[in-house]
Amino acid sequence: MDARDVSPLYDSMRRYGLPGVLTPVDPQNRSGAWRVVDPVDQRDITDATLAAVAAADRHQPTRGFVIAR
């Protein structure tokens, strides 16, 4: 994941209530690769977070109202 993916991922993580902190792999190169780390133990959880966001984005509501105009 690179710097251009950070903002949309951050928005999705907040929308779906996913934990994690986005940090650059190399703090000196903020335009390079980024990762998601667990805020408690600093474990890399990038793959799990990306999978959770993808699954949540695919989820379609099963209930609701259809309003015809």
Side-chain angles (χ1 to χ4, degrees):
M1 172 176 64
D2 60 15
R4 69 175 173 236
D5 300 323
V6 171
S7 182
L9 180 59
Y10 177 81
D11 293 341
S12 294
M13 288 170 62
R14 296 305 155 245
R15 181 178 326 121
Y16 301 127
L18 300 172
V21 177
L22 290 155
T23 60
V25 173
D26 177 9
Q28 302 301 321
N29 183 11
R30 298 183 67 80
S31 63
W34 285 65
R35 65 184 175 166
V36 183
V37 295
D38 187 307
V40 176
D41 61 9
Q42 300 303 308
R43 200 170 31 98
D44 187 346
I45 57 170
T46 303
D47 293 336
T49 302
L50 291 173
V53 167
D57 284 342
R58 284 191 307 267
H59 176 72
Q60 296 295 319
T62 56
R63 292 184 178 190
F65 295 95
V66 175
I67 300 173
R69 291 183 177 213

